[in-house]
Amino acid sequence: MPTCLYAHDLDGSPADPLPRLLKGPSTTVLAPDGRFRGLASRGADLRAALARHPGATLIGVGYGALAALVVAGERPTDVHHLVLVGPARGWSEPPWCDAAAIPLPPA
């Protein structure tokens, strides 16, 4: 059974419409929850899913596409297809990964 791994954007979630559209009677869709998580953590989730489902199609949107690209570059033999939709360029980590970068409301 073909497997798709979906990595969502910064403002997305596993409940995005795309994973539901990809799911079919003969397709498994896995969508790790990357909300409020940095690139390293998202990559670890994708690597773990690829270890369980080698040969999967890896689909990434926005910041999730950046994580998918990094993981596919590390594990090219585990990725059957790589689909990047609007990949984030020039990002290293989302701002909330650094607690000092979070603006606090006035007291």
Side-chain angles (χ1 to χ4, degrees):
M1 179 179 303
T3 301
C4 292
L5 300 178
Y6 174 73
H8 62 80
D9 199 3
L10 287 173
D11 60 351
S13 79
D16 286 351
L18 187 56
R20 290 192 308 272
L21 294 172
L22 295 169
K23 193 175 279 189
S26 63
T27 304
T28 300
V29 179
L30 304 174
D33 191 353
R35 291 177 289 183
F36 305 106
R37 300 180 62 207
L39 189 61
S41 180
R42 286 172 174 240
D45 288 346
L46 293 175
R47 280 184 212 90
L50 278 174
R52 291 188 308 274
H53 303 277
T57 295
L58 189 51
I59 302 166
V61 176
Y63 193 69
L66 181 60
L69 181 61
V70 169
V71 171
E74 294 171 351
R75 303 179 72 142
T77 59
D78 289 340
V79 178
H80 187 254
H81 295 289
L82 175 63
V83 180
L84 305 175
V85 181
R89 299 182 313 151
W91 282 77
S92 60
E93 291 292 341
W96 56 74
C97 291
D98 177 7
I102 300 172
L104 298 174

